[in-house]
Every structure is written in structure tokens, then in C-alpha cells.
mmCIF file of all heavy atoms in Angstrom:
data_model
loop_
_atom_site.group_PDB
_atom_site.id
_atom_site.type_symbol
_atom_site.label_atom_id
_atom_site.label_comp_id
_atom_site.label_asym_id
_atom_site.label_seq_id
_atom_site.Cartn_x
_atom_site.Cartn_y
_atom_site.Cartn_z
ATOM 1 N N ALA A 3 -0.838 1.114 -2.283
ATOM 2 C CA ALA A 3 0.385 0.867 -1.690
ATOM 3 C C ALA A 3 0.540 -0.529 -1.410
ATOM 4 O O ALA A 3 -0.285 -1.254 -1.054
ATOM 5 C CB ALA A 3 0.402 1.676 -0.375
ATOM 6 N N VAL A 4 1.863 -1.046 -1.659
ATOM 7 C CA VAL A 4 2.304 -2.445 -1.509
ATOM 8 C C VAL A 4 3.542 -2.438 -0.612
ATOM 9 O O VAL A 4 4.363 -1.842 -0.666
ATOM 10 C CB VAL A 4 2.605 -2.989 -2.841
ATOM 11 C CG1 VAL A 4 3.003 -4.483 -2.671
ATOM 12 C CG2 VAL A 4 1.390 -2.932 -3.762
ATOM 13 N N GLU A 5 3.350 -3.408 0.508
ATOM 14 C CA GLU A 5 4.515 -3.663 1.383
ATOM 15 C C GLU A 5 4.645 -5.016 1.713
ATOM 16 O O GLU A 5 3.629 -5.816 1.982
ATOM 17 C CB GLU A 5 4.152 -2.780 2.757
ATOM 18 C CG GLU A 5 5.052 -2.922 3.880
ATOM 19 C CD GLU A 5 6.593 -2.679 3.295
ATOM 20 O OE1 GLU A 5 6.789 -1.623 2.911
ATOM 21 O OE2 GLU A 5 7.427 -3.541 3.622
ATOM 22 N N ILE A 6 5.916 -5.609 1.664
ATOM 23 C CA ILE A 6 6.148 -7.020 1.808
ATOM 24 C C ILE A 6 6.190 -7.325 3.399
ATOM 25 O O ILE A 6 5.866 -8.437 3.719
ATOM 26 C CB ILE A 6 7.389 -7.413 1.097
ATOM 27 C CG1 ILE A 6 7.584 -8.836 1.126
ATOM 28 C CG2 ILE A 6 8.592 -6.693 1.645
ATOM 29 C CD1 ILE A 6 8.641 -9.367 0.164
ATOM 30 N N ASP A 7 6.768 -6.377 4.142
ATOM 31 C CA ASP A 7 7.044 -6.699 5.552
ATOM 32 C C ASP A 7 5.752 -6.538 6.299
ATOM 33 O O ASP A 7 5.056 -5.499 6.287
ATOM 34 C CB ASP A 7 7.992 -5.633 6.096
ATOM 35 C CG ASP A 7 8.313 -5.803 7.596
ATOM 36 O OD1 ASP A 7 9.022 -6.829 7.956
ATOM 37 O OD2 ASP A 7 7.780 -5.111 8.393
ATOM 38 N N GLU A 8 5.438 -7.638 7.147
ATOM 39 C CA GLU A 8 4.090 -7.543 7.857
ATOM 40 C C GLU A 8 4.007 -6.443 8.858
ATOM 41 O O GLU A 8 2.861 -5.780 8.988
ATOM 42 C CB GLU A 8 3.868 -8.933 8.491
ATOM 43 C CG GLU A 8 2.560 -9.140 9.075
ATOM 44 C CD GLU A 8 2.244 -10.495 9.570
ATOM 45 O OE1 GLU A 8 3.231 -11.278 9.641
ATOM 46 O OE2 GLU A 8 1.226 -10.805 10.048
ATOM 47 N N GLN A 9 5.032 -6.179 9.659
ATOM 48 C CA GLN A 9 4.793 -5.100 10.683
ATOM 49 C C GLN A 9 4.733 -3.833 9.956
ATOM 50 O O GLN A 9 3.953 -2.999 10.447
ATOM 51 C CB GLN A 9 6.073 -5.185 11.632
ATOM 52 C CG GLN A 9 5.983 -6.445 12.500
ATOM 53 C CD GLN A 9 7.151 -6.277 13.563
ATOM 54 O OE1 GLN A 9 8.226 -6.001 13.264
ATOM 55 N NE2 GLN A 9 6.840 -6.702 14.781
ATOM 56 N N ALA A 10 5.519 -3.603 9.007
ATOM 57 C CA ALA A 10 5.364 -2.226 8.241
ATOM 58 C C ALA A 10 4.049 -2.087 7.585
ATOM 59 O O ALA A 10 3.364 -0.993 7.556
ATOM 60 C CB ALA A 10 6.503 -2.109 7.242
ATOM 61 N N PHE A 11 3.498 -3.218 7.109
ATOM 62 C CA PHE A 11 2.144 -3.106 6.423
ATOM 63 C C PHE A 11 1.132 -2.845 7.488
ATOM 64 O O PHE A 11 0.232 -1.965 7.224
ATOM 65 C CB PHE A 11 1.934 -4.592 5.758
ATOM 66 C CG PHE A 11 0.407 -4.837 5.586
ATOM 67 C CD1 PHE A 11 -0.158 -4.317 4.302
ATOM 68 C CD2 PHE A 11 -0.358 -5.590 6.404
ATOM 69 C CE1 PHE A 11 -1.461 -4.413 4.008
ATOM 70 C CE2 PHE A 11 -1.670 -5.718 6.064
ATOM 71 C CZ PHE A 11 -2.271 -5.275 4.933
ATOM 72 N N ASP A 12 1.257 -3.458 8.623
ATOM 73 C CA ASP A 12 0.279 -3.055 9.726
ATOM 74 C C ASP A 12 0.253 -1.633 10.084
ATOM 75 O O ASP A 12 -0.771 -0.973 10.358
ATOM 76 C CB ASP A 12 0.513 -3.980 10.851
ATOM 77 C CG ASP A 12 0.147 -5.535 10.584
ATOM 78 O OD1 ASP A 12 -0.688 -5.742 9.729
ATOM 79 O OD2 ASP A 12 0.527 -6.351 11.360
ATOM 80 N N GLN A 13 1.566 -1.182 10.139
ATOM 81 C CA GLN A 13 1.792 0.271 10.631
ATOM 82 C C GLN A 13 1.164 1.136 9.579
ATOM 83 O O GLN A 13 0.493 2.149 9.733
ATOM 84 C CB GLN A 13 3.151 0.649 10.867
ATOM 85 C CG GLN A 13 3.467 1.971 11.250
ATOM 86 C CD GLN A 13 2.933 2.364 12.573
ATOM 87 O OE1 GLN A 13 3.437 1.918 13.658
ATOM 88 N NE2 GLN A 13 1.778 2.962 12.640
ATOM 89 N N ALA A 14 1.429 0.885 8.207
ATOM 90 C CA ALA A 14 1.067 1.764 7.139
ATOM 91 C C ALA A 14 -0.481 1.727 7.048
ATOM 92 O O ALA A 14 -1.110 2.790 6.980
ATOM 93 C CB ALA A 14 1.562 1.340 5.908
ATOM 94 N N LYS A 15 -1.008 0.540 7.195
ATOM 95 C CA LYS A 15 -2.498 0.476 7.258
ATOM 96 C C LYS A 15 -3.191 1.291 8.343
ATOM 97 O O LYS A 15 -4.208 1.911 7.996
ATOM 98 C CB LYS A 15 -2.849 -1.106 7.418
ATOM 99 C CG LYS A 15 -4.438 -1.372 7.339
ATOM 100 C CD LYS A 15 -4.666 -2.777 7.280
ATOM 101 C CE LYS A 15 -6.171 -3.008 7.201
ATOM 102 N NZ LYS A 15 -6.457 -4.408 7.201
ATOM 103 N N GLN A 16 -2.652 1.195 9.491
ATOM 104 C CA GLN A 16 -3.132 1.985 10.532
ATOM 105 C C GLN A 16 -3.044 3.457 10.254
ATOM 106 O O GLN A 16 -3.886 4.333 10.514
ATOM 107 C CB GLN A 16 -2.389 1.705 11.863
ATOM 108 C CG GLN A 16 -2.804 2.449 13.175
ATOM 109 C CD GLN A 16 -2.051 2.210 14.312
ATOM 110 O OE1 GLN A 16 -1.254 1.372 14.342
ATOM 111 N NE2 GLN A 16 -2.203 2.945 15.419
ATOM 112 N N ASN A 17 -1.923 3.960 9.808
ATOM 113 C CA ASN A 17 -1.657 5.314 9.393
ATOM 114 C C ASN A 17 -2.637 5.819 8.427
ATOM 115 O O ASN A 17 -3.167 6.968 8.465
ATOM 116 C CB ASN A 17 -0.266 5.544 8.965
ATOM 117 C CG ASN A 17 0.887 5.425 9.923
ATOM 118 O OD1 ASN A 17 0.571 5.537 11.201
ATOM 119 N ND2 ASN A 17 2.014 5.117 9.593
ATOM 120 N N PHE A 18 -2.868 4.999 7.372
ATOM 121 C CA PHE A 18 -3.850 5.330 6.312
ATOM 122 C C PHE A 18 -5.318 5.424 6.884
ATOM 123 O O PHE A 18 -6.002 6.423 6.465
ATOM 124 C CB PHE A 18 -3.904 4.300 5.173
ATOM 125 C CG PHE A 18 -2.565 4.143 4.376
ATOM 126 C CD1 PHE A 18 -2.216 3.031 3.837
ATOM 127 C CD2 PHE A 18 -1.751 5.328 4.308
ATOM 128 C CE1 PHE A 18 -1.016 2.975 2.960
ATOM 129 C CE2 PHE A 18 -0.639 5.228 3.560
ATOM 130 C CZ PHE A 18 -0.187 3.940 2.891
ATOM 131 N N LEU A 19 -5.720 4.556 7.678
ATOM 132 C CA LEU A 19 -7.044 4.457 8.307
ATOM 133 C C LEU A 19 -7.286 5.745 9.180
ATOM 134 O O LEU A 19 -8.324 6.177 9.269
ATOM 135 C CB LEU A 19 -7.316 3.241 9.049
ATOM 136 C CG LEU A 19 -7.482 2.002 8.241
ATOM 137 C CD1 LEU A 19 -7.513 0.791 9.076
ATOM 138 C CD2 LEU A 19 -8.680 2.108 7.395
ATOM 139 N N GLU A 20 -6.252 6.222 9.833
ATOM 140 C CA GLU A 20 -6.303 7.400 10.739
ATOM 141 C C GLU A 20 -6.266 8.708 10.023
ATOM 142 O O GLU A 20 -6.222 9.784 10.615
ATOM 143 C CB GLU A 20 -5.293 7.251 11.771
ATOM 144 C CG GLU A 20 -5.740 6.088 12.791
ATOM 145 C CD GLU A 20 -4.709 5.949 13.955
ATOM 146 O OE1 GLU A 20 -3.883 6.824 14.141
ATOM 147 O OE2 GLU A 20 -4.769 4.943 14.670
ATOM 148 N N SER A 21 -6.007 8.582 8.684
ATOM 149 C CA SER A 21 -5.713 9.890 7.863
ATOM 150 C C SER A 21 -7.148 10.307 7.328
ATOM 151 O O SER A 21 -8.084 9.370 7.056
ATOM 152 C CB SER A 21 -4.744 9.683 6.829
ATOM 153 O OG SER A 21 -5.191 9.036 5.693
ATOM 154 N N LYS A 22 -7.198 11.457 6.814
ATOM 155 C CA LYS A 22 -8.392 11.992 6.076
ATOM 156 C C LYS A 22 -8.542 11.511 4.546
ATOM 157 O O LYS A 22 -9.408 11.814 3.992
ATOM 158 C CB LYS A 22 -8.373 13.547 6.171
ATOM 159 C CG LYS A 22 -7.303 14.234 5.515
ATOM 160 C CD LYS A 22 -7.501 15.789 5.504
ATOM 161 C CE LYS A 22 -7.360 16.391 6.755
ATOM 162 N NZ LYS A 22 -7.461 17.843 6.803
ATOM 163 N N TRP A 23 -7.477 10.851 4.199
ATOM 164 C CA TRP A 23 -7.421 10.355 2.765
ATOM 165 C C TRP A 23 -7.627 8.874 2.655
ATOM 166 O O TRP A 23 -7.259 8.281 1.581
ATOM 167 C CB TRP A 23 -6.008 10.746 2.188
ATOM 168 C CG TRP A 23 -5.768 12.320 2.358
ATOM 169 C CD1 TRP A 23 -6.263 13.287 1.615
ATOM 170 C CD2 TRP A 23 -4.918 12.824 3.305
ATOM 171 N NE1 TRP A 23 -5.820 14.479 2.144
ATOM 172 C CE2 TRP A 23 -4.878 14.314 3.187
ATOM 173 C CE3 TRP A 23 -4.138 12.422 4.417
ATOM 174 C CZ2 TRP A 23 -4.246 15.166 3.902
ATOM 175 C CZ3 TRP A 23 -3.442 13.281 5.221
ATOM 176 C CH2 TRP A 23 -3.461 14.614 4.913
ATOM 177 N N LYS A 24 -8.139 8.304 3.785
ATOM 178 C CA LYS A 24 -8.250 6.804 3.816
ATOM 179 C C LYS A 24 -9.036 6.337 2.682
ATOM 180 O O LYS A 24 -8.819 5.087 2.195
ATOM 181 C CB LYS A 24 -8.739 6.379 5.065
ATOM 182 C CG LYS A 24 -10.215 7.012 5.430
ATOM 183 C CD LYS A 24 -10.557 6.518 6.902
ATOM 184 C CE LYS A 24 -11.948 7.190 7.138
ATOM 185 N NZ LYS A 24 -12.404 6.738 8.554
ATOM 186 N N ASN A 25 -10.078 7.028 2.240
ATOM 187 C CA ASN A 25 -11.028 6.509 1.151
ATOM 188 C C ASN A 25 -10.275 6.456 -0.169
ATOM 189 O O ASN A 25 -10.875 5.883 -1.210
ATOM 190 C CB ASN A 25 -12.255 7.301 1.107
ATOM 191 C CG ASN A 25 -13.104 7.189 2.284
ATOM 192 O OD1 ASN A 25 -13.056 6.070 2.903
ATOM 193 N ND2 ASN A 25 -13.816 8.335 2.667
ATOM 194 N N ASN A 26 -9.080 7.098 -0.290
ATOM 195 C CA ASN A 26 -8.414 7.223 -1.539
ATOM 196 C C ASN A 26 -7.224 6.168 -1.723
ATOM 197 O O ASN A 26 -6.621 6.060 -2.735
ATOM 198 C CB ASN A 26 -7.783 8.614 -1.853
ATOM 199 C CG ASN A 26 -8.903 9.739 -2.043
ATOM 200 O OD1 ASN A 26 -10.072 9.264 -2.250
ATOM 201 N ND2 ASN A 26 -8.430 10.813 -2.138
ATOM 202 N N ILE A 27 -7.070 5.441 -0.488
ATOM 203 C CA ILE A 27 -5.908 4.543 -0.472
ATOM 204 C C ILE A 27 -6.079 3.136 -0.232
ATOM 205 O O ILE A 27 -6.962 2.905 0.688
ATOM 206 C CB ILE A 27 -4.932 5.030 0.667
ATOM 207 C CG1 ILE A 27 -4.571 6.489 0.498
ATOM 208 C CG2 ILE A 27 -3.729 4.125 0.731
ATOM 209 C CD1 ILE A 27 -3.801 7.107 1.643
ATOM 210 N N SER A 28 -5.701 2.262 -1.147
ATOM 211 C CA SER A 28 -5.700 0.800 -0.947
ATOM 212 C C SER A 28 -4.339 0.292 -0.632
ATOM 213 O O SER A 28 -3.409 0.666 -1.209
ATOM 214 C CB SER A 28 -6.340 0.134 -2.097
ATOM 215 O OG SER A 28 -7.497 0.608 -2.483
ATOM 216 N N ILE A 29 -4.193 -0.655 0.453
ATOM 217 C CA ILE A 29 -2.947 -1.196 0.800
ATOM 218 C C ILE A 29 -2.853 -2.618 0.640
ATOM 219 O O ILE A 29 -3.965 -3.328 1.069
ATOM 220 C CB ILE A 29 -2.446 -0.641 2.154
ATOM 221 C CG1 ILE A 29 -1.022 -1.132 2.411
ATOM 222 C CG2 ILE A 29 -3.409 -1.037 3.215
ATOM 223 C CD1 ILE A 29 -0.367 -0.573 3.586
ATOM 224 N N PHE A 30 -1.858 -3.211 0.180
ATOM 225 C CA PHE A 30 -1.794 -4.696 0.023
ATOM 226 C C PHE A 30 -0.495 -5.304 0.677
ATOM 227 O O PHE A 30 0.597 -4.647 0.465
ATOM 228 C CB PHE A 30 -1.847 -5.135 -1.362
ATOM 229 C CG PHE A 30 -3.059 -4.737 -2.215
ATOM 230 C CD1 PHE A 30 -3.124 -3.460 -2.654
ATOM 231 C CD2 PHE A 30 -4.121 -5.611 -2.160
ATOM 232 C CE1 PHE A 30 -4.344 -3.136 -3.374
ATOM 233 C CE2 PHE A 30 -5.317 -5.343 -2.884
ATOM 234 C CZ PHE A 30 -5.446 -4.054 -3.422
ATOM 235 N N HIS A 31 -0.567 -6.415 1.392
ATOM 236 C CA HIS A 31 0.600 -7.065 2.017
ATOM 237 C C HIS A 31 1.089 -7.936 0.873
ATOM 238 O O HIS A 31 0.436 -9.132 0.816
ATOM 239 C CB HIS A 31 0.195 -7.711 3.288
ATOM 240 C CG HIS A 31 1.305 -8.453 3.905
ATOM 241 N ND1 HIS A 31 1.067 -9.548 4.762
ATOM 242 C CD2 HIS A 31 2.643 -8.178 4.028
ATOM 243 C CE1 HIS A 31 2.318 -9.992 5.187
ATOM 244 N NE2 HIS A 31 3.190 -9.263 4.683
ATOM 245 N N SER A 32 2.043 -7.713 0.262
ATOM 246 C CA SER A 32 2.489 -8.566 -0.961
ATOM 247 C C SER A 32 3.889 -8.219 -1.404
ATOM 248 O O SER A 32 4.393 -7.126 -1.172
ATOM 249 C CB SER A 32 1.560 -8.266 -2.108
ATOM 250 O OG SER A 32 1.947 -8.999 -3.262
ATOM 251 N N ASP A 33 4.549 -9.228 -1.987
ATOM 252 C CA ASP A 33 5.839 -9.051 -2.708
ATOM 253 C C ASP A 33 5.502 -8.459 -4.041
ATOM 254 O O ASP A 33 4.626 -8.871 -4.850
ATOM 255 C CB ASP A 33 6.419 -10.393 -2.879
ATOM 256 C CG ASP A 33 7.744 -10.357 -3.549
ATOM 257 O OD1 ASP A 33 8.027 -9.433 -4.298
ATOM 258 O OD2 ASP A 33 8.570 -11.424 -3.443
ATOM 259 N N ILE A 34 6.019 -7.262 -4.394
ATOM 260 C CA ILE A 34 5.612 -6.502 -5.619
ATOM 261 C C ILE A 34 5.953 -7.288 -6.796
ATOM 262 O O ILE A 34 5.217 -7.243 -7.887
ATOM 263 C CB ILE A 34 6.366 -5.163 -5.601
ATOM 264 C CG1 ILE A 34 5.687 -4.190 -6.770
ATOM 265 C CG2 ILE A 34 7.748 -5.336 -5.781
ATOM 266 C CD1 ILE A 34 4.165 -4.030 -6.579
ATOM 267 N N THR A 35 6.804 -8.255 -6.824
ATOM 268 C CA THR A 35 7.281 -8.981 -7.857
ATOM 269 C C THR A 35 6.125 -10.051 -8.298
ATOM 270 O O THR A 35 6.127 -10.496 -9.391
ATOM 271 C CB THR A 35 8.602 -9.764 -7.664
ATOM 272 O OG1 THR A 35 8.507 -10.792 -6.690
ATOM 273 C CG2 THR A 35 9.748 -8.798 -7.615
ATOM 274 N N THR A 36 5.425 -10.475 -7.270
ATOM 275 C CA THR A 36 4.282 -11.347 -7.555
ATOM 276 C C THR A 36 2.851 -10.586 -7.460
ATOM 277 O O THR A 36 1.843 -11.419 -7.472
ATOM 278 C CB THR A 36 4.279 -12.547 -6.599
ATOM 279 O OG1 THR A 36 4.319 -12.023 -5.282
ATOM 280 C CG2 THR A 36 5.594 -13.299 -6.985
ATOM 281 N N PHE A 37 2.771 -9.301 -7.293
ATOM 282 C CA PHE A 37 1.782 -8.693 -6.966
ATOM 283 C C PHE A 37 0.872 -8.583 -8.295
ATOM 284 O O PHE A 37 1.211 -8.366 -9.386
ATOM 285 C CB PHE A 37 1.921 -7.121 -6.661
ATOM 286 C CG PHE A 37 0.645 -6.310 -6.457
ATOM 287 C CD1 PHE A 37 -0.151 -6.585 -5.398
ATOM 288 C CD2 PHE A 37 0.550 -5.226 -7.224
ATOM 289 C CE1 PHE A 37 -1.360 -5.727 -5.274
ATOM 290 C CE2 PHE A 37 -0.556 -4.402 -7.009
ATOM 291 C CZ PHE A 37 -1.428 -4.653 -5.978
ATOM 292 N N GLU A 38 -0.467 -9.061 -8.120
ATOM 293 C CA GLU A 38 -1.380 -9.101 -9.370
ATOM 294 C C GLU A 38 -2.357 -8.031 -9.393
ATOM 295 O O GLU A 38 -3.057 -7.835 -8.373
ATOM 296 C CB GLU A 38 -1.937 -10.467 -9.562
ATOM 297 C CG GLU A 38 -1.067 -11.676 -9.799
ATOM 298 C CD GLU A 38 -0.349 -11.514 -11.124
ATOM 299 O OE1 GLU A 38 -0.974 -10.936 -12.003
ATOM 300 O OE2 GLU A 38 0.746 -12.072 -11.346
ATOM 301 N N THR A 39 -2.592 -7.252 -10.378
ATOM 302 C CA THR A 39 -3.547 -6.281 -10.511
ATOM 303 C C THR A 39 -3.984 -6.076 -11.994
ATOM 304 O O THR A 39 -3.102 -6.201 -12.813
ATOM 305 C CB THR A 39 -3.241 -4.988 -9.833
ATOM 306 O OG1 THR A 39 -4.173 -4.010 -9.998
ATOM 307 C CG2 THR A 39 -1.992 -4.461 -10.372
ATOM 308 N N SER A 40 -5.106 -5.816 -12.250
ATOM 309 C CA SER A 40 -5.553 -5.462 -13.659
ATOM 310 C C SER A 40 -5.259 -4.023 -14.032
ATOM 311 O O SER A 40 -5.398 -3.664 -15.227
ATOM 312 C CB SER A 40 -7.163 -5.686 -13.833
ATOM 313 O OG SER A 40 -7.871 -4.903 -12.964
ATOM 314 N N GLN A 41 -4.941 -3.147 -12.988
ATOM 315 C CA GLN A 41 -4.679 -1.852 -13.275
ATOM 316 C C GLN A 41 -3.265 -1.523 -13.790
ATOM 317 O O GLN A 41 -2.328 -2.269 -13.540
ATOM 318 C CB GLN A 41 -4.880 -0.894 -11.905
ATOM 319 C CG GLN A 41 -6.275 -0.794 -11.393
ATOM 320 C CD GLN A 41 -6.325 0.094 -10.230
ATOM 321 O OE1 GLN A 41 -5.387 -0.043 -9.343
ATOM 322 N NE2 GLN A 41 -7.250 0.951 -10.167
ATOM 323 N N LYS A 42 -3.117 -0.434 -14.588
ATOM 324 C CA LYS A 42 -1.833 0.140 -14.828
ATOM 325 C C LYS A 42 -1.654 1.481 -14.224
ATOM 326 O O LYS A 42 -2.810 2.123 -14.173
ATOM 327 C CB LYS A 42 -1.796 0.312 -16.412
ATOM 328 C CG LYS A 42 -1.751 -1.151 -17.194
ATOM 329 C CD LYS A 42 -0.414 -1.823 -16.993
ATOM 330 C CE LYS A 42 -0.417 -3.020 -17.914
ATOM 331 N NZ LYS A 42 0.813 -3.745 -17.753
ATOM 332 N N PHE A 43 -0.595 1.802 -13.817
ATOM 333 C CA PHE A 43 -0.515 3.039 -12.999
ATOM 334 C C PHE A 43 0.298 4.140 -13.786
ATOM 335 O O PHE A 43 1.203 3.769 -14.586
ATOM 336 C CB PHE A 43 0.340 2.777 -11.751
ATOM 337 C CG PHE A 43 -0.432 1.768 -10.847
ATOM 338 C CD1 PHE A 43 -0.158 0.417 -10.930
ATOM 339 C CD2 PHE A 43 -1.359 2.160 -9.928
ATOM 340 C CE1 PHE A 43 -0.859 -0.521 -10.273
ATOM 341 C CE2 PHE A 43 -2.083 1.397 -9.170
ATOM 342 C CZ PHE A 43 -1.836 -0.064 -9.245
ATOM 343 N N ASP A 44 -0.106 5.319 -13.559
ATOM 344 C CA ASP A 44 0.577 6.540 -14.293
ATOM 345 C C ASP A 44 1.828 6.896 -13.504
ATOM 346 O O ASP A 44 2.705 7.363 -14.243
ATOM 347 C CB ASP A 44 -0.449 7.642 -14.287
ATOM 348 C CG ASP A 44 -1.718 7.293 -15.022
ATOM 349 O OD1 ASP A 44 -1.872 7.059 -16.171
ATOM 350 O OD2 ASP A 44 -2.809 7.159 -14.289
ATOM 351 N N ILE A 45 1.809 6.764 -12.182
ATOM 352 C CA ILE A 45 3.020 7.161 -11.523
ATOM 353 C C ILE A 45 3.275 5.996 -10.557
ATOM 354 O O ILE A 45 2.489 5.389 -9.719
ATOM 355 C CB ILE A 45 2.805 8.470 -10.657
ATOM 356 C CG1 ILE A 45 2.468 9.589 -11.538
ATOM 357 C CG2 ILE A 45 3.950 8.735 -9.789
ATOM 358 C CD1 ILE A 45 3.497 10.079 -12.515
ATOM 359 N N ILE A 46 4.481 5.494 -10.552
ATOM 360 C CA ILE A 46 5.040 4.603 -9.509
ATOM 361 C C ILE A 46 6.141 5.316 -8.624
ATOM 362 O O ILE A 46 7.086 5.798 -9.188
ATOM 363 C CB ILE A 46 5.581 3.263 -10.139
ATOM 364 C CG1 ILE A 46 4.407 2.533 -10.926
ATOM 365 C CG2 ILE A 46 6.076 2.374 -9.200
ATOM 366 C CD1 ILE A 46 4.845 1.291 -11.679
ATOM 367 N N ILE A 47 5.958 5.325 -7.416
ATOM 368 C CA ILE A 47 6.918 5.880 -6.494
ATOM 369 C C ILE A 47 7.510 4.760 -5.568
ATOM 370 O O ILE A 47 6.845 3.774 -5.298
ATOM 371 C CB ILE A 47 6.284 7.039 -5.664
ATOM 372 C CG1 ILE A 47 5.125 6.513 -4.814
ATOM 373 C CG2 ILE A 47 5.891 8.156 -6.470
ATOM 374 C CD1 ILE A 47 4.548 7.488 -3.705
ATOM 375 N N SER A 48 8.735 4.930 -5.309
ATOM 376 C CA SER A 48 9.446 3.965 -4.441
ATOM 377 C C SER A 48 10.598 4.660 -3.625
ATOM 378 O O SER A 48 11.417 5.287 -4.355
ATOM 379 C CB SER A 48 9.803 2.829 -5.151
ATOM 380 O OG SER A 48 10.440 1.777 -4.313
ATOM 381 N N ASN A 49 10.804 4.349 -2.447
ATOM 382 C CA ASN A 49 11.944 4.501 -1.586
ATOM 383 C C ASN A 49 12.459 3.192 -1.358
ATOM 384 O O ASN A 49 12.311 2.395 -0.259
ATOM 385 C CB ASN A 49 11.640 5.239 -0.330
ATOM 386 C CG ASN A 49 12.848 5.479 0.533
ATOM 387 O OD1 ASN A 49 14.013 5.173 0.125
ATOM 388 N ND2 ASN A 49 12.576 6.040 1.704
ATOM 389 N N PRO A 50 13.265 2.578 -2.229
ATOM 390 C CA PRO A 50 13.563 1.132 -2.230
ATOM 391 C C PRO A 50 14.671 0.829 -1.379
ATOM 392 O O PRO A 50 15.430 1.804 -0.827
ATOM 393 C CB PRO A 50 13.987 0.775 -3.753
ATOM 394 C CG PRO A 50 14.592 2.038 -4.205
ATOM 395 C CD PRO A 50 13.809 3.242 -3.574
#
């Protein structure tokens, strides 16, 4: 999960950590246009 807004990032991070799926989720505070990763994704979802 990638989120540019700091407050939203903090809220999402807290929500993920308090969920039973926390070990499956990584979150990054970043602008997606400059987000760097070696991974390619099979599904990209967005509520832009």
C-alpha cells in the first residue's frame, strides 16, 4: 500500500497493524510517481 498524505499514511498503518492480516501488508509513505520497487504487481487497485 502506498499513500502520499502523512496523516492518512499513519492511519492506514495503524489499521493494518491492528488487523489479523498485518503480516501480509507493507505500507509506504510515498508519491506513487516516484515510488521505487523491484517488484511488478499482478493487480493494482486505486480509489484515486
Side-chain angles (χ1 to χ4, degrees):
V4 178
E5 175 54 53
I6 190 172
D7 180 79
E8 186 173 5
Q9 288 185 320
F11 165 79
D12 290 338
Q13 181 66 77
K15 184 176 181 180
Q16 179 182 350
N17 289 341
F18 293 153
L19 288 174
E20 292 181 4
S21 79
K22 64 175 68 176
W23 306 283
K24 60 184 178 183
N25 292 330
N26 290 353
I27 304 171
S28 301
I29 184 168
F30 298 89
H31 179 212
S32 175
D33 180 339
I34 193 62
T35 61
T36 57
F37 179 63
E38 295 293 336
T39 176
S40 60
Q41 287 184 322
K42 296 286 186 180
F43 298 91
D44 303 291
I45 303 294
I46 295 176
I47 58 171
S48 185
N49 177 6

